[in-house]
Amino acid sequence: MNPEFAGGVFSAAGAEFADWYARLWRPLGELTVAVTRPAPGDRVLDACCGSGASAVPAALAVGPAGHVDAVDAAEGLLAQGRVTGQGLGQLAFTRHDVLTWTAEPYDLVQCVYGVFFFPDMEAGARRLISLLRPGGRFAVTTWRRDGMARIVPIAQAAAAVERPELNQPADRIGAQARIDTPEKLTGWLSGLGLVDVTVDEVEYVQPLHAEDAWKLYLGAAMRAFLTGLDEPAVARVKERFTAGLAEAGVTSLDCGSLIGVGRVPA
């Protein structure tokens, strides 16, 4: 997905994204940092940071002696992060394409639910890894197979009636499927030249009422499926999406995730 397009989608999704922040994004961000374990004094890059769900706990972990750069293309989400992270002088939110970001070497680069948005997932990951010092760590959080991905095809099918081009598989979904098991993620990180790779599985489930599910649709990358549609068309998508969830028996959101960490050789 083009960074500018992605930034626009998520900026437009700001209000609905915020509705899910306490229930979904913040807990998952905190779980990521519990695994990546930035140390006091570390320099951290939180790439594709959104509104700071993982950047804020990382900043708390590194303390005043450390520094966290939280970088994203979505100004609407960054503005929310600046409010959440207010008072943390070691945390800086910046609007920028993470794939062209430059800075002094980091001890840790983490990308939470972001690598599968890169136009080229491997090239994007290698670019982030190049920002690490020797011995630095690269961490990726992604959705586990049959978790969040279960509702995305329903969301896409609901919009495809209005936008027939969506009947083609999304590149993002294909990229995500390449790292959706512990074995796949381990192999992918190792293939990037990282060593000491570990992958932790995280269980996290939320109840999913129909209205909450629609807010999630509007507050996540699925919102891109609605690009160019007028209000009546969006209403029809909502109706089909809600019916699709009911038909599939989806009453909860399985947010099962994988957190992979690898180290650059010293």
Side-chain angles (χ1 to χ4, degrees):
M1 187 183 291
N2 178 279
E4 284 300 317
F5 177 71
V9 168
F10 279 102
S11 284
E16 293 83 10
F17 188 96
D19 280 342
W20 272 93
Y21 181 81
R23 291 176 55 186
L24 182 63
W25 306 119
R26 185 181 68 194
L28 292 174
E30 291 172 344
L31 287 167
T32 292
V33 173
V35 173
T36 61
R37 303 187 70 81
D42 273 356
R43 284 180 47 79
V44 177
L45 170 63
D46 192 299
C48 308
C49 67
S51 60
S54 50
V56 170
L60 292 171
V62 303
H67 181 76
V68 175
D69 281 316
V71 180
D72 201 290
E75 179 57 37
L77 299 189
L78 292 168
Q80 295 177 25
R82 294 186 189 106
V83 173
T84 304
Q86 199 167 20
L88 294 173
Q90 66 270 35
L91 174 59
F93 284 93
T94 306
R95 183 181 183 275
H96 203 283
D97 179 357
V98 298
L99 299 182
T100 60
W101 179 257
T102 58
E104 295 180 15
Y106 293 99
D107 300 288
L108 169 66
V109 173
Q110 57 187 24
C111 189
V112 182
Y113 309 110
V115 292
F116 36 76
F117 289 110
F118 295 159
D120 182 321
M121 192 165 69
E122 278 72 23
R126 292 183 189 279
R127 176 70 182 84
L128 295 179
I129 290 169
S130 73
L131 299 175
L132 287 163
R133 63 166 177 79
R137 296 176 301 129
F138 179 60
V140 169
T141 303
T142 187
W143 304 113
R144 188 180 58 193
R145 177 185 288 179
D146 298 328
M148 178 73 80
R150 187 181 177 202
I151 73 168
V152 175
I154 299 172
Q156 184 168 340
V161 178
E162 313 294 336
R163 295 182 58 202
E165 70 273 19
L166 292 177
N167 286 311
Q168 299 298 319
D171 291 341
R172 175 179 60 84
I173 297 173
Q176 183 179 315
R178 291 165 51 204
I179 52 174
D180 64 1
T181 70
E183 296 76 18
K184 288 181 185 178
L185 183 54
T186 298
W188 186 74
L189 291 171
S190 299
L192 294 172
L194 302 174
V195 298
D196 300 332
V197 173
T198 61
V199 174
D200 285 72
E201 284 196 69
V202 173
E203 303 285 347
Y204 192 77
V205 178
Q206 279 284 304
L208 192 64
H209 184 274
E211 284 300 318
D212 290 342
W214 182 242
K215 284 185 179 179
L216 180 64
Y217 195 127
L218 296 178
M222 295 179 287
R223 190 185 187 102
F225 298 150
L226 305 177
T227 300
L229 300 184
D230 58 20
E231 287 188 16
V234 170
R236 292 192 295 269
V237 172
K238 177 182 179 181
E239 184 177 347
R240 284 190 292 268
F241 176 61
T242 302
L245 292 177
E247 183 178 349
V250 178
T251 58
S252 63
L253 185 65
D254 182 351
C255 311
S257 301
L258 305 173
I259 306 169
V261 184
R263 182 172 57 82
V264 174

